[in-house]
Amino acid sequence: MAKKVKSSNKSKLSALVVDDDGVCRTVHCAFLRRHGFETSSVESGRQAVDLIRSGQKFDIIFMDIIMPEMNGVQATRALRAMGVKSMIVGIDCDLDYINEDFMQAGMDRVYEKPMTSEIAISVHQALLNNNIV
Amino acid sequence: MHRRLASMRKSLLDQGFLDEQFIQLEELQDDSNPNFVEEIAASYYRDSARQMLNIDQALDKFPLDFTKLDNLMHQFKGSSSSIGAKKVKNESTQFQEYCRAGNAEGCRRTYRQLKKEYATLKKKLEAYFQLARQAGPLETASRPK
């Protein structure tokens, strides 16, 4: 399902972290950078949509789910409606309590916080596997 | 020095103040980022002070807006879990359960406990990081697997 930008000189995958909490943004980016990603981060679903609408592309988007104004599910729907094909991974606490259909909204995976090395490695591998197609 | 640090770390884990997430964060430290965990903890205590002020204010209102309290605590829980603050995270979960049950007294009682755990962890982390700075760069070899 991944539309991969053909770019054999690109040694790193690019990740966008979307989270309204600063500590989470820092922690997520640190794990991702350690495991082969270049990272960018924004504070809201709205900023994510605007950034991508402006032409920025990412291999993967880590999306916090509960956020004010535009939540992660709404942002994901908006991005898919824009034709974004990047992997979108939801990550938040208490997923069972969040009454949303993540997959229907267009997320590829969801994880319970916190971000870990295992998560970073797993998504990195999945992206590499997708690119072999 | 490293042995003392490892012993302090083990004690914090065994007593449930911290969980595996803290260890994962320490593994991210390297020469280019030697004080990463201390910096993250400082950010956490700075940001969460503001969040807790908001929760304080929300708890002063009558009647309580349980949805708002739940959302405020949700963000706090996210950052607490990201740094491995285990007891604080558990109290956050308990608080949210009381919110969902509409139990005001339960919320207030849990929040008092949360603040205690939060303050205790802060002191323990200050001592830990002070020792860590004296000990020098952490070696992952000293971490119990």
Side-chain angles (χ1 to χ4, degrees):
Chain A
M1 89 134 264
K3 175 205 91 176
K4 180 72 187 92
V5 174
K6 274 201 295 279
S7 168
S8 50
N9 9 348
K10 200 161 75 154
S11 55
K12 290 193 178 191
L13 297 170
S14 58
L16 175 67
V17 168
V18 187
D19 200 304
D20 59 339
D21 183 80
V23 169
C24 288
R25 285 195 300 275
T26 306
V27 168
H28 289 9
C29 287
F31 278 107
L32 292 169
R33 277 199 304 270
R34 168 55 64 88
H35 294 290
F37 290 92
E38 266 167 11
T39 62
S40 306
S41 64
V42 290
E43 297 177 20
S44 69
R46 167 55 56 197
Q47 283 182 19
V49 169
D50 290 347
L51 184 64
I52 291 169
R53 185 171 280 136
S54 77
Q56 285 254 51
K57 287 183 168 36
F58 300 94
D59 295 302
I60 185 167
I61 301 164
F62 277 88
M63 186 74 79
D64 189 22
I65 297 170
I66 306 285
M67 290 186 285
E69 287 163 33
M70 183 189 268
N71 68 35
V73 167
Q74 291 164 330
T76 299
R77 280 209 188 93
L79 291 171
R80 292 302 187 208
M82 282 161 54
V84 170
K85 300 281 189 285
S86 315
M87 184 181 286
I88 300 180
V89 173
I91 178 163
D92 207 338
C93 295
D94 304 324
L95 295 174
D96 293 340
Y97 278 106
I98 301 175
N99 196 17
E100 297 272 10
D101 191 333
F102 304 122
M103 302 309 163
Q104 190 272 333
M107 290 182 179
D108 297 291
R109 298 182 177 191
V110 284
Y111 289 105
E112 188 82 24
K113 276 181 181 172
M115 171 69 80
T116 61
S117 282
E118 284 78 9
I119 293 173
I121 291 167
S122 175
V123 298
H124 194 269
Q125 192 57 53
L127 286 169
L128 292 181
N129 291 346
N130 286 349
N131 296 345
I132 289 170
V133 173
Chain B
M1 204 52 99
H2 280 285
R3 237 201 317 268
R4 270 179 64 200
L5 191 66
S7 158
M8 200 186 276
R9 184 193 300 121
K10 184 173 189 304
S11 164
L12 288 169
L13 287 165
D14 288 346
Q15 291 174 57
F17 288 104
L18 297 172
D19 61 25
E20 171 66 21
Q21 181 67 8
F22 188 83
I23 304 299
Q24 289 233 0
L25 289 177
E26 285 196 321
E27 287 178 347
L28 294 179
Q29 287 187 152
D30 56 24
D31 290 339
S32 65
N33 228 347
N35 302 312
F36 172 66
V37 187
E38 185 174 3
E39 287 162 11
I40 270 287
S43 296
Y44 169 73
Y45 275 97
R46 206 171 41 235
D47 292 356
S48 57
R50 247 181 291 123
Q51 289 167 353
M52 289 177 83
L53 215 60
N54 291 337
I55 295 173
D56 287 337
Q57 285 169 0
L59 281 171
D60 273 342
K61 298 225 163 24
F62 185 81
L64 291 185
D65 182 342
F66 288 110
T67 305
K68 178 170 189 178
L69 282 166
D70 193 351
N71 282 335
L72 288 172
M73 189 53 77
H74 178 88
Q75 192 186 36
F76 180 76
K77 183 177 170 177
S79 53
S80 301
S81 77
S82 293
I83 70 153
K86 187 175 180 182
K87 288 194 187 201
V88 173
K89 179 176 89 166
N90 290 344
E91 294 299 336
S92 305
T93 300
Q94 187 64 66
F95 182 92
Q96 286 183 289
E97 280 170 17
Y98 281 125
C99 284
R100 285 162 201 148
N103 184 336
E105 182 44 42
C107 281
R108 292 204 166 89
R109 196 174 54 239
T110 303
Y111 189 59
R112 281 195 294 272
Q113 186 60 29
L114 185 153
K115 280 182 140 171
K116 275 204 203 110
E117 297 296 350
Y118 174 84
T120 301
L121 178 64
K122 186 172 190 197
K123 283 207 192 73
K124 288 187 183 288
L125 284 176
E126 275 164 5
Y128 180 81
F129 290 128
Q130 188 168 49
L131 186 61
R133 266 181 268 125
Q134 288 166 26
L138 276 170
E139 297 140 22
T140 49
S142 64
R143 141 165 154 69
K145 287 243 185 288

